[in-house]
Amino acid sequence: MQKENNISQNKVSQNREPANTVPQENKMGFMPVNRLLLSMSLPMMISMLVQALYNIVDSIFVAQIDEYALRAVSLAFPVQSLMIAFAAGTAVGINAFLSKTLGEKEFKKASTIAVNGIFLELLSYLVFVLIGLFVSRPFYASQSEVTQVREYGVTYLTICCVLSIGIFMQTTFERLLQSTGKTFYAMITQGVGAITNLILDPILIFGLFGLPRMGVAGAAIATVSGQIVAAALAIFFNLSRNKDITLFFRGFRPDLKLILRIYQVGIPSIIMQAIGSVMTYGMNLILEAFGTAQTVFGVYFKLQSFVFMPVFGLNNGMVPIVAYNYGAGNRERVLQTMKSSIMFAVGIMLAGLIIMEIFPGQLISFFNPTPELLEQGIPALRTICLSFCFAGYCIEVGSVFQALGNGVYSMCVSIARQLCVLLPVAYLFSLTGNVNMIWWAFPIAELASVGMSTFFLFRINKKVIRHIGEER
């Protein structure tokens, strides 16, 4: 019987009509875990490093205008973070649900999940068009009394929101590639988008090659252009290279049951990332009284992305592996993937901590700093980065919760860390009048996050992980 099955499978593989074939076992189900995790994560880590690089370069170019321009772009981060929260959070729900469905060999259902996910992302984009048109000005007025900062900021944020279709489609279609194990193509799309941004930034900001000097508006146009180019390429790769799912839109109607399943994981992820937006906005309000400290905070966020982005790339490789093997009932592979991803994440964050402790002044110097910015920035970086190793552990554990369909745990940890610990502690320390005290809120909050993450990890191990594969 086994021999007959093998012969049958060989005949199928030679058939040139993919519509009549059943996809073979995905590599997430059999490749050695460490090699699989690295093969799926490294392309995403590289592409996210490129993304982090172009985010930093973007600010370096803007800083050449003046510090107010740099501050304005930095103050846009809460809304941009909220945008990414909706795009990436929904994509996390799609990714986890779709990978689990592929593990269960329900290929038609997986394609339907993908189409419904694209529909949800389009709705999210329309919401941010309205935010860009009607919320940008009051948003900046609440954070700064400097007229030039407000005008720079409204221009930048309006463009980024109204033309944000690229970030929503890029995120969605890249996650579809990742959920089926095709992370190499996602690396290409992110890399091309980043390079597009890098090329256009100086040209549009400073008016090179006969083009008008556009300043912060040019930075915004360069950003959305890179996103749109990456989105177009990701769509192309899904249509031409991704044979595990079929995207069909003719006669499409939203499937409420599938949408609820997507948001079962997606909404906690959206809330969890949106909380970061609230935290950043709250910190900007606390730091407003310290002037340049707002710019210091923005510079830190640009620099820390160079450390955190590779860890998020590791997540993007880890989540579909855990979700796939959870669906396939392979407990051992789930555990191996968890352990390896935590080990790699902590190692990356440790390297980031060492670099930021030794070279804080050199890192800040990339942003054309004033003496005051340099004076406040060096102790800020050295204090905040103490939280990095704790953060690596918490990020990976939180992503395991999402991959296993328990995104609420990640949401609870994020709420506690950022809203219940970080902001209150930062506010209390600000009452001392010493801005350097405020930065200690970050390592204190991360220690609280370690405790909660570990508690929920033991809980999910008892309720879910121990029982994976029992029904099989």
Side-chain angles (χ1 to χ4, degrees):
M1 177 63 73
Q2 182 65 41
K3 185 175 181 180
E4 292 175 358
N5 287 340
N6 291 337
I7 293 173
S8 176
Q9 289 178 2
N10 290 334
K11 289 180 179 179
V12 169
S13 65
Q14 295 170 3
N15 193 330
R16 294 181 177 267
E17 298 179 9
N20 298 325
T21 67
V22 177
Q24 297 179 353
E25 174 71 15
N26 193 290
K27 66 180 180 180
M28 290 186 285
F30 66 86
M31 185 181 287
V33 168
N34 282 343
R35 187 159 61 119
L36 174 64
L37 182 61
L38 290 175
S39 69
M40 291 187 63
S41 299
L42 278 176
M44 295 311 305
M45 292 167 71
I46 293 170
S47 63
M48 287 195 164
L49 275 172
V50 174
Q51 272 197 318
L53 178 62
Y54 91 72
N55 283 334
I56 291 175
V57 171
D58 191 62
S59 293
I60 290 173
F61 284 129
V62 169
Q64 306 308 308
I65 301 173
D66 56 46
E67 187 192 329
Y68 288 156
L70 177 59
R71 188 181 305 181
V73 171
S74 299
L75 291 178
F77 185 80
V79 174
Q80 290 179 301
S81 178
L82 189 64
M83 190 188 307
I84 294 171
F86 275 85
T90 303
V92 165
I94 299 167
N95 196 351
F97 188 18
L98 195 150
S99 294
K100 183 175 183 293
T101 303
L102 287 174
E104 295 167 341
K105 307 295 188 265
E106 297 186 45
F107 301 104
K108 184 177 180 180
K109 182 179 178 182
S111 297
T112 306
I113 292 168
V115 174
N116 276 270
I118 295 168
F119 168 74
L120 294 177
E121 296 280 18
L122 288 172
L123 292 182
S124 297
Y125 160 65
L126 295 177
V127 170
F128 279 91
V129 170
L130 298 176
I131 290 175
L133 293 174
F134 300 109
V135 179
S136 295
R137 189 164 294 278
F139 171 75
Y140 270 92
S142 69
Q143 295 185 95
S144 179
E145 296 181 355
V146 181
T147 302
Q148 192 63 60
V149 171
R150 292 184 181 185
E151 294 307 313
Y152 279 146
V154 171
T155 299
Y156 181 83
L157 189 57
T158 301
I159 294 172
C160 286
C161 287
V162 172
L163 299 179
S164 62
I165 182 66
I167 189 62
F168 285 96
M169 292 299 98
Q170 176 188 354
T171 303
T172 305
F173 283 92
E174 284 176 354
R175 287 301 178 96
L176 294 181
L177 292 169
Q178 293 163 21
S179 64
T180 54
K182 297 170 177 61
T183 54
F184 176 75
Y185 295 114
M187 179 190 72
I188 294 175
T189 62
Q190 291 196 356
V192 170
I195 292 170
T196 301
N197 185 304
L198 284 170
I199 293 172
L200 292 179
D201 254 333
I203 293 174
L204 298 181
I205 291 173
F206 304 117
L208 305 180
F209 305 113
L211 293 176
R213 182 185 178 94
M214 302 177 69
V216 293
I221 293 172
T223 296
V224 297
S225 298
Q227 293 165 353
I228 290 171
V229 168
L233 194 56
I235 292 171
F236 169 75
F237 282 140
N238 271 282
L239 295 177
S240 63
R241 299 288 188 269
N242 197 346
K243 304 302 181 183
D244 290 312
I245 56 176
T246 303
L247 301 177
F248 51 91
F249 295 92
R250 182 176 296 177
F252 167 75
R253 291 183 180 180
D255 188 320
L256 183 59
K257 185 178 292 187
L258 293 183
I259 287 173
L260 291 175
R261 286 291 303 277
I262 290 171
Y263 276 141
Q264 183 180 355
V265 174
I267 285 180
S269 181
I270 291 171
I271 293 173
M272 183 177 66
Q273 295 183 68
I275 287 166
S277 177
V278 175
M279 181 277 292
T280 306
Y281 180 72
M283 283 295 296
N284 283 329
L285 295 181
I286 292 170
L287 295 170
E288 184 181 4
F290 298 91
T292 302
Q294 282 186 328
T295 310
V296 170
F297 188 52
V299 168
Y300 159 72
F301 258 98
K302 295 294 183 179
L303 292 172
Q304 62 92 32
S305 68
F306 214 27
V307 182
F308 279 78
M309 282 295 189
V311 177
F312 294 145
L314 182 65
N315 278 357
N316 290 338
M318 179 269 288
V319 168
I321 299 173
V322 171
Y324 183 96
N325 286 284
Y326 174 39
N330 195 326
R331 175 176 173 270
E332 187 60 33
R333 288 180 67 81
V334 169
L335 289 173
Q336 289 179 20
T337 305
M338 288 170 50
K339 293 175 183 177
S340 293
S341 62
I342 291 172
M343 179 185 68
F344 291 143
V346 172
I348 292 169
M349 299 301 278
L350 178 60
L353 184 155
I354 293 170
I355 292 171
M356 203 164 282
E357 285 287 347
I358 297 175
F359 305 110
Q362 291 87 337
L363 294 173
I364 296 172
S365 294
F366 286 117
F367 298 89
N368 192 30
T370 62
E372 185 181 5
L373 178 59
L374 203 58
E375 181 183 355
Q376 289 194 23
I378 290 174
L381 294 190
R382 282 181 168 154
T383 301
I384 298 174
C385 74
L386 295 175
S387 64
F388 280 7
C389 288
F390 305 130
Y393 166 81
C394 294
I395 289 169
E396 293 306 308
V397 171
S399 295
V400 168
F401 299 155
Q402 295 169 5
L404 296 176
N406 287 266
V408 174
Y409 288 171
S410 300
M411 181 184 69
C412 291
V413 173
S414 186
I415 290 173
R417 180 175 67 86
Q418 300 186 82
L419 300 188
C420 299
V421 181
L422 197 154
L423 282 181
V425 171
Y427 174 73
L428 290 175
F429 285 171
S430 73
L431 299 179
T432 66
N434 183 355
V435 68
N436 291 330
M437 290 295 297
I438 298 175
W439 311 122
W440 283 100
F442 286 87
I444 291 172
E446 211 61 61
L447 279 173
S449 179
V450 168
M452 286 195 67
S453 297
T454 302
F455 170 77
F456 284 128
L457 182 59
F458 278 108
R459 186 179 180 87
I460 202 170
N461 181 61
K462 182 178 179 181
K463 290 192 171 185
V464 178
I465 298 174
R466 285 183 182 178
H467 304 290
I468 293 176
E470 285 185 355
E471 69 278 5
R472 295 172 183 263

